[in-house]
């Protein structure tokens, strides 16, 4: 502190001598005081940080930061995950720091750093940014992007009551199997489907809708509208993620081009659908009956309405949004990649069918009781997760208090991005990482099998059980009932569309019913 004060006095003396020398009367006393105080603050910060080690990274332009560089790398290399990987290679470090519009950001990419970051209590926060609020319909509510007591209370409440309603139990399995059965019955054999992902999404959303609202969708047009909104919303956030996140003010200048108007419109439509369902529940509400998650939430909302509470209708709407988006979009995308894998790797599809046919009867729907009897099927699903993590860059995490990561200092309020893509393509960890090889996940193989597909620690994905069970049951049942063939256009390789979520390039598929 003495050094800071001494240095500041020297600066002040030099300013005074300069004013005397050049007779700069226009320099007012308040301005001199401001300059001296500013110099004091800068010097104090410099000396305080002189003994701290920060991650390497590019120099940045004030205000703009490294936004231009990140955008250029994303366009050149195909998505944020590849951009971050290239920057790590350039600076020869698995942890790098950069600046996005005045916000300090750190990106990490190896297993040890990912493991450390996901388990650190100081990294449990979410950034309080305009873009996060836009995702949450202008509020800081829901589960996925909330912090502190609100997050802890609401996440614990959601998980407790979903389990009470059968989440992760036999009730959930039966709901999934019913949806799969109806889906398979409605598939026309030998017909070409150009949007099979929408079919998968309907099944997932119906299972989630049953837990949240007590019944599956009764009107297909409403289900189609909900899926369409969630798909468009996901694409809109992909489009606006960089621009609106880094320059929120751009919505006033270019509301259409930035995607702001589109997101607002889709948010409104989504809110109307969920609000309508909540209103229907209110009309038939009974404090003695818990039909579904909305009822459980209404019980708590009415019980605590006369005092301070986090149980509000806006919170209920955002919890529903979090459940539907996290559950349907990611799960359907994972199965989408699996289907394309079966088109490209015919030998794998045949091996999967041969294992299934030894356990299931022709045309039978799979059961979780058979899961341990199908090691190859499980290996195929895991290998698909490894090659194509749907969320290649997870986070963002907000540093709640100054901490260290990998030996580097992370100041409070640093945003941390965790790049899972590099972990899945690491040549030191996986042999021939760009090759689809399910055998690496069988017990006879000694390769490391660490995957962060659903995260880790206290922020681990709450929908993990549903996603894993749904993917296994749907994929196994589909292969047992149909042979997956190309449509009019042959798929020779898997092409990935980058974004906040990875998706497979659109394809045509022909499902040929197997002989029963």
């Amino acid at each position: 502190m003495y050094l800071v004060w001494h240095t500041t006095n020297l600066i002040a003396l030099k300013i005074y001598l300069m004013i005397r020398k050049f007779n700069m009367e226009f320099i007012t006393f308040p301005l001199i005081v401001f300059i001296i105080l500013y110099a004091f603050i800068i010097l104090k910060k410099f000396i305080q940080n002189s003994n701290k080690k920060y991650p390497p990274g590019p120099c940045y332009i004030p205000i703009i930061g490294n936004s231009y560089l990140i955008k250029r790398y994303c366009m050149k290399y195909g998505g944020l995950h590849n951009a971050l990987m290239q920057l790590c290679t350039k600076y020869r470090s698995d942890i790098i720091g950069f600046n996005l519009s005045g916000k300090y950001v750190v990106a990490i990419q190896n297993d040890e750093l990912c493991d450390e970051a996901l388990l650190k209590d100081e990294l449990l926060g979410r950034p309080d940014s305009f873009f996060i609020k836009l995702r949450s319909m202008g509020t800081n509510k829901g589960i996925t992007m909330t912090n502190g007591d609100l997050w802890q209370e609401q996440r614990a409440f959601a998980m407790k009551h979903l389990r009470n309603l059968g989440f992760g139990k036999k009730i959930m399995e039966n709901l999934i199997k019913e949806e799969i059965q109806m889906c398979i019955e409605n598939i026309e054999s030998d017909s070409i489907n150009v949007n099979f992902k929408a079919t998968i999404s309907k099944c997932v959303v119906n299972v989630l809708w049953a837990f949240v609202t007590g019944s599956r969708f009764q009107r297909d047009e409403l289900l189609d509208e909900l899926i369409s909104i969630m798909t468009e919303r996901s694409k809109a956030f992909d489009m606006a993620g960089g621009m609106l996140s880094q320059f929120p003010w751009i919505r006033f200048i270019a509301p259409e081009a930035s995607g702001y108007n589109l997101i607002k419109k889709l948010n409104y439509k989504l809110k109307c659908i969920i609000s309508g369902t909540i209103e229907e529940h209110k009309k038939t509400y009974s404090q003695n009956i818990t039909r579904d998650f909305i009822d459980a939430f209404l019980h708590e909302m009415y019980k605590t309405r006369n005092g301070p509470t986090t149980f509000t209708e806006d919170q209920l709407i955002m919890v529903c949004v979090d459940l539907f988006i996290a559950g349907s979009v990611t799960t359907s995308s994972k199965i989408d990649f699996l289907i394309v894998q079966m088109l490209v790797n015919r030998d794998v599809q045949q091996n999967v069918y041969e294992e299934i046919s030894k356990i299931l009867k022709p045309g039978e729907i799979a059961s979780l009781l058979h899961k341990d009897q199908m090691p190859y099927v499980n290996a195929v699903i895991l290998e698909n997760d490894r090659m194509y993590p749907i969320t290649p860059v997870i986070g963002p995490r907000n540093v709640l208090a100054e901490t260290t990561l990998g030996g580097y200092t992370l100041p409070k309020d640093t945003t941390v991005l965790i790049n899972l893509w590099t972990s899945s393509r690491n040549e030191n960890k996986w042999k021939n990482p760009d090759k689809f090889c399910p055998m690496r996940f069988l017990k006879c193989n000694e390769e490391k099998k660490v995957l962060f597909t659903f995260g880790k620690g206290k922020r681990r994905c709450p929908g993990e059980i549903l996603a894993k069970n749904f993917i296994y049951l749907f994929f196994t049942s589909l292969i047992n009932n149909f042979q997956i063939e190309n449509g009019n256009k042959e798929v020779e390789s898997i092409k990935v569309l980058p974004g906040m979520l990875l998706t497979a390039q659109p394809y045509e598929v022909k499902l040929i019913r197997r002989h029963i």
Side-chain angles (χ1 to χ4, degrees), residues 336-371:
D336 214 31
F337 274 113
L338 269 172
I339 291 171
V340 184
Q341 292 284 15
M342 297 304 99
L343 291 174
V344 175
N345 301 285
R346 298 300 185 84
D347 57 328
V348 174
Q349 182 181 170
Q350 183 59 32
N351 291 339
V352 167
Y353 176 66
E354 287 177 2
E355 182 176 76
I356 293 171
S357 62
K358 293 175 183 177
I359 299 165
L360 298 183
K361 298 176 183 177
E364 187 179 0
I365 302 299
S367 168
L368 293 178
L369 293 173
H370 303 132
K371 192 172 183 180

Side-chain angles (χ1 to χ4, degrees), residues 287-305:
Q287 63 179 3
N288 299 317
I289 300 174
T290 306
R291 298 165 293 185
D292 47 50
F293 180 75
I294 291 179
D295 273 350
F297 197 97
L298 289 176
H299 292 333
E300 199 67 25
M301 192 170 86
Y302 291 145
K303 186 171 68 176
T304 60
R305 60 186 163 186

Side-chain angles (χ1 to χ4, degrees), residues 259-288:
Y260 176 72
N261 281 352
L262 177 59
I263 293 171
K264 291 283 285 185
K265 183 179 75 173
L266 295 173
N267 278 349
Y268 176 75
K269 287 183 177 179
L270 188 57
K271 185 174 182 178
C272 285
I273 291 175
I274 296 173
S275 295
T277 304
I278 293 172
E279 289 304 314
E280 290 174 7
H281 273 66
K282 287 180 178 179
K283 292 175 184 177
T284 56
Y285 173 77
S286 171
Q287 63 179 3
N288 299 317

Side-chain angles (χ1 to χ4, degrees), residues 475-487:
F475 177 62
T476 308
S477 300
L478 186 71
I479 297 294
N480 192 43
N481 280 269
F482 296 97
Q483 183 175 329
I484 301 175
E485 298 288 345
N486 283 293

Side-chain angles (χ1 to χ4, degrees), residues 429-489:
K429 177 181 175 182
W430 310 101
K431 187 177 179 181
N432 299 321
D434 293 327
K435 181 181 179 181
F436 187 76
C437 180
M439 296 298 291
R440 71 174 89 243
F441 282 100
L442 293 178
K443 289 181 180 180
C444 59
N445 198 290
E446 295 182 357
E447 282 195 60
K448 298 176 183 178
K449 302 180 178 67
V450 178
L451 293 176
F452 297 99
T453 310
F454 296 95
K456 193 173 183 179
K458 296 175 182 177
R459 285 272 185 187
R460 194 178 184 97
C461 176
E464 179 179 355
I465 296 174
L466 172 64
K468 284 183 174 180
N469 289 351
F470 190 95
I471 291 168
Y472 165 77
L473 292 170
F474 190 97
F475 177 62
T476 308
S477 300
L478 186 71
I479 297 294
N480 192 43
N481 280 269
F482 296 97
Q483 183 175 329
I484 301 175
E485 298 288 345
N486 283 293
N488 294 323
K489 297 179 181 179

Side-chain angles (χ1 to χ4, degrees), residues 161-225:
H161 288 279
L162 285 172
R163 280 194 296 268
N164 290 343
L165 293 163
F167 201 77
K169 300 178 182 177
K170 189 66 178 177
I171 294 173
M172 185 177 77
E173 181 183 356
N174 290 337
L175 283 170
I176 295 172
K177 290 169 71 172
E178 286 174 15
E179 286 300 322
I180 294 172
Q181 183 68 60
M182 284 186 279
C183 174
I184 287 175
E185 289 174 357
N186 291 331
I187 293 175
E188 295 181 18
S189 183
D190 295 356
S191 64
I192 296 174
N193 193 321
V194 295
N195 190 17
F196 194 64
K197 185 178 178 181
T199 303
I200 304 165
S201 295
K202 289 181 181 180
C203 294
V204 186
V205 170
N206 259 327
V207 173
L208 286 166
W209 197 260
F211 274 106
V212 174
T213 72
S215 63
R216 68 189 305 274
F217 272 91
Q218 302 302 314
R219 292 186 296 139
D220 286 342
E221 60 271 20
L222 185 59
L223 176 57
D224 290 338
E225 183 183 7

